[in-house]
Amino acid sequence: MIPLLSAGKIALGSIKSAKMRSTLTVLGIVIGVAAVIANVSLGASFNQHFTNEVSNLGSNFIYIQGMQPKLFYDNQLKIMENTPGISGVSPLKSQTAEVTYMSETKSIMVSGVGEAYDEVANTSLGKGTFINDNDGYVAIIGHDIANEKFGRNLSVRNSIDITFRIGEDEKITKTFKVKGIIRNPENTMVQAYNDNEAILIPIDVMNEILGEKDYGGVFAMAEDPAAIQETSDEVDRRLARSFGISERELDDKDSRPYMLVNQAEILEQTDMMAAALSSFLTAVALISLLVGSIGIMNIMLVSVTERTREIGVLKSLGFTGFDILFLFMVESILLGVFGGILGGAVGIAGAYSVESLLNLPVVFPLSLIVAGFVVAVVVGFVSGVYPARKAAKMKPVDSLRYE
């Protein structure tokens, strides 16, 4: 048997002597491996992005939205506050209103909230302080409202006029002083509304203006992230009882006049979305790799044909069929190694560029790089098996006579 080092030198010589053929062979591996690494990395990056989006929305949040008006009142709010495992609750009520600043009027969603809203909904302020239950006509405005919505930027202590619609024809306008500005948020996918374009006011003030006492929905926060599903289920049971829903009907989600979701459920859904996207991207990458491996095998078969006389000379010099097989396999594996290194670099660069362009988290697990390199070597090996066996089976006399 030929020593591995000698086989490697012969294989490298063969690769160098046919640069175009070797380049095309390596290119097939590069494209396939780069596609695998880039697509799998993108799948992992989207998964991390979805997880971050949900985490940014709130801290162990449970959100309850009424499916009909005039549903939640103080009694339901107290039920949620007194549920074991709940550490914070804030009502939420939204209405589109006309907001005027410096004689410029825009239609904006205005939400009434409680003083715990900043904690349970993870609302971070860039300037000022959050509202409390003792505040009067004050407002927290979103980043885009402050910096882009109007011709002039808004700042803390500026005044805005908000016109609410009451009934079909009546309107009422109140002046609010800006108390805080929401920091430009990172979450954009899963939220009750766009934080960038939010205006928050005390919910008691909003209800006083509208002449109402109900809440549109409620944000709650669970104490223990590990027990968020159990806490959510308990909130659901207690609320259902308050609306006269029997134990038998609890399994029927349509029996409730409200919708309840929690962070764990949304994370599970986004994980499924990310897994489906990752599977699709991986399937596309594997198809590319399969096409590349077929190309490698084709080029290696052409190489065997081109080197028929060379194979005959080697056999006449005493090289066995196994030696010829070994030489061709070493050459295929070396091509796979070169392709794996280049493919890994191209895949990492491509994934990094796309992730940076889309503002996605950059995710490159070490296992992914190693797997891409191993795949390249395996593709080179498998693609070279048939051509190598064909070369090994050639008869020396027929090979030497080949023109």
Side-chain angles (χ1 to χ4, degrees):
M1 178 180 172
I2 306 173
L4 181 60
L5 184 59
S6 299
K9 289 180 179 178
I10 295 172
L12 283 173
S14 176
I15 291 170
K16 290 178 181 178
S17 66
K19 292 184 176 63
M20 181 58 71
R21 184 187 69 211
S22 301
T23 300
L24 291 173
T25 306
V26 170
L27 185 61
I29 300 176
V30 168
I31 293 172
V33 172
V36 169
I37 289 179
N39 285 357
V40 174
S41 176
L42 281 172
S45 183
F46 273 112
N47 189 16
Q48 185 63 50
H49 172 67
F50 292 153
T51 301
N52 292 345
E53 291 283 280
V54 177
S55 298
N56 286 335
L57 175 60
S59 184
N60 310 328
F61 70 87
I62 300 169
Y63 179 62
I64 306 99
Q65 172 68 51
M67 303 302 290
Q68 60 190 51
K70 312 292 183 184
L71 186 66
F72 296 130
Y73 291 89
D74 286 338
N75 287 341
Q76 282 72 36
L77 198 64
K78 288 178 181 178
I79 288 172
M80 298 179 212
E81 289 175 338
N82 295 329
T83 300
I86 292 294
S87 61
V89 171
S90 170
L92 175 69
K93 185 172 186 174
S94 300
Q95 182 183 103
T96 301
E98 294 175 357
V99 180
T100 303
Y101 175 63
M102 302 291 290
S103 302
E104 191 176 357
T105 301
K106 300 289 184 179
S107 181
I108 298 172
M109 183 68 74
V110 177
S111 295
V113 298
E115 66 179 4
Y117 182 82
D118 61 330
E119 182 181 5
V120 297
N122 203 25
T123 301
S124 178
L125 295 186
K127 296 178 182 177
T129 57
F130 202 72
I131 57 180
N132 60 62
D133 289 341
N134 296 320
D135 277 333
Y137 290 84
V138 299
I140 306 296
I141 61 176
H143 178 271
D144 284 0
I145 302 295
N147 299 286
E148 298 177 14
K149 198 74 172 179
F150 297 96
R152 294 183 61 180
N153 290 352
L154 276 156
S155 60
V156 174
R157 292 179 186 165
N158 284 153
S159 294
I160 57 176
D161 291 331
I162 302 179
T163 301
F164 297 90
R165 179 178 293 277
I166 302 175
E168 294 293 328
D169 304 316
E170 186 180 354
K171 291 184 178 181
I172 185 168
T173 301
K174 294 291 183 179
T175 300
F176 289 78
K177 183 174 288 187
V178 176
K179 188 179 182 183
I181 298 174
I182 298 172
R183 189 188 307 277
N184 190 11
E186 296 179 357
N187 57 307
T188 57
M189 183 189 67
V190 185
Q191 48 194 24
Y193 53 85
N194 190 343
D195 283 341
N196 279 319
E197 299 184 357
I199 292 183
L200 309 178
I201 64 174
I203 194 162
D204 289 340
V205 171
M206 187 172 188
N207 273 340
E208 178 186 319
I209 294 170
L210 298 176
E212 299 172 347
K213 294 183 178 180
D214 66 298
Y215 312 121
V218 180
F219 257 109
M221 183 171 68
E223 292 176 353
D224 184 4
I228 187 170
Q229 189 61 55
E230 290 80 357
T231 304
S232 177
D233 290 342
E234 183 60 26
V235 169
D236 191 14
R237 280 191 292 270
R238 294 187 177 211
L239 275 179
R241 277 199 298 268
S242 74
F243 291 113
I245 298 171
S246 66
E247 292 287 337
R248 293 195 307 268
E249 297 176 299
L250 284 178
D251 292 334
D252 181 11
K253 297 294 183 182
D254 294 333
S255 65
R256 297 160 174 73
Y258 58 85
M259 176 189 69
L260 186 149
V261 295
N262 62 59
Q263 193 173 32
E265 291 172 344
I266 295 180
L267 280 173
E268 183 179 350
Q269 292 173 5
T270 55
D271 284 346
M272 290 174 62
M273 290 169 54
L277 179 61
S278 181
S279 298
F280 172 75
L281 292 174
T282 303
V284 172
L286 290 176
I287 291 171
S288 301
L289 194 59
L290 176 62
V291 173
S293 64
I294 293 172
I296 295 165
M297 184 179 296
N298 187 44
I299 293 172
M300 290 297 292
L301 283 170
V302 172
S303 173
V304 171
T305 303
E306 288 179 349
R307 295 160 66 186
T308 299
R309 286 183 63 82
E310 177 189 336
I311 294 166
V313 171
L314 290 173
K315 286 199 170 184
S316 67
L317 292 174
F319 283 73
T320 65
F322 181 79
D323 291 333
I324 303 297
L325 175 69
F326 186 61
L327 282 173
F328 272 80
M329 291 309 304
V330 169
E331 185 176 334
S332 296
I333 291 171
L334 282 176
L335 290 171
V337 170
F338 296 148
I341 294 171
L342 292 173
V346 172
I348 291 171
Y352 179 79
S353 299
V354 174
E355 289 164 2
S356 299
L357 184 65
L358 299 178
N359 292 321
L360 297 172
V362 178
V363 181
F364 286 114
L366 179 60
S367 58
L368 176 62
I369 311 301
V370 174
F373 182 78
V374 171
V375 165
V377 175
V378 169
V379 166
F381 176 81
V382 173
S383 301
V385 167
Y386 177 68
R389 281 175 57 83
K390 183 179 178 181
K393 289 180 179 180
M394 284 185 174
K395 295 180 180 179
V397 175
D398 295 336
S399 300
L400 290 170
R401 288 177 179 172
Y402 183 80
E403 294 294 336

